Amino acid sequence: SLTSTGSSVSALGGMTTVGGAVTLSGTSVTSSGAVTTGGGAVTLTGSSSSANNFGTLSAGSGAVVMSGTTGVSAGTIDTTGTVSLTATSGNVSATAINNSSGVTASANTTNIFGFASVNIFSTTVLNAASITATANTPGCTSSCGGASISLTSSKDINIGTLVANASATTSNAANFN
């Protein structure tokens, strides 16, 4: 197993374990090279900023978990295990999530004009277990933020739960009298 913790963690080269897990955590986390675990889990956590992967995460059958406060840019992920991507106050995107048994992704914003989006691409069947985008903008009365989800695959897309929520405003609320 490989664990790296710090205020700003950057893994610029490739990392390989033989079945062991890779964990990178800090205020901001960036992986730029290939990460190969042979079945171990991969976890990237940006505790007060973003979690970014600009390389390829190959986890065999291991789970991949990425979370960031201001956003998650997942790059390319290849695993037959599950993938979980969470941005507590930002957007989620993935260049490619391939072969995963189930993907969960959540993007959120509380900024009154903020926009929450989830964008995921796959070159294999995309098994989207639960995808949510939430723009929670209480008190907003016009030009409020929104929520969007984009799922694209060159094969099939299997969807479990798909939810895009945005606060109703006086300019888009429907009145039923």
Side-chain angles (χ1 to χ4, degrees), residues 1-155:
S1 293
L2 171 66
T3 300
S4 180
T5 304
S7 64
S8 181
V9 176
S10 294
L12 303 178
M15 293 176 278
T16 301
T17 67
V18 180
V22 172
T23 302
L24 304 175
S25 61
T27 55
S28 174
V29 173
T30 300
S31 173
S32 297
V35 175
T36 304
T37 67
V42 176
T43 304
L44 278 66
T45 305
S47 61
S48 63
S49 188
S50 59
N52 303 296
N53 169 47
F54 299 116
T56 299
L57 302 179
S58 298
S61 61
V64 174
V65 177
M66 293 182 66
S67 61
T69 303
T70 60
V72 170
S73 178
T76 299
I77 297 172
D78 193 348
T79 181
T80 57
T82 58
V83 175
S84 175
L85 310 173
T86 304
T88 54
S89 185
N91 299 317
V92 170
S93 66
T95 305
I97 297 179
N98 297 325
N99 302 308
S100 176
S101 61
V103 177
T104 61
S106 176
N108 300 283
T109 185
T110 55
N111 181 322
I112 199 162
F113 301 112
F115 200 78
S117 68
V118 174
N119 299 299
I120 296 174
F121 180 79
S122 180
T123 60
T124 63
V125 172
L126 177 58
N127 293 307
S130 177
I131 311 294
T132 61
T134 304
N136 184 10
T137 55
C140 184
T141 57
S142 66
S143 301
C144 301
S148 73
I149 296 172
S150 173
L151 303 177
T152 306
S153 177
S154 57
K155 305 272 183 181

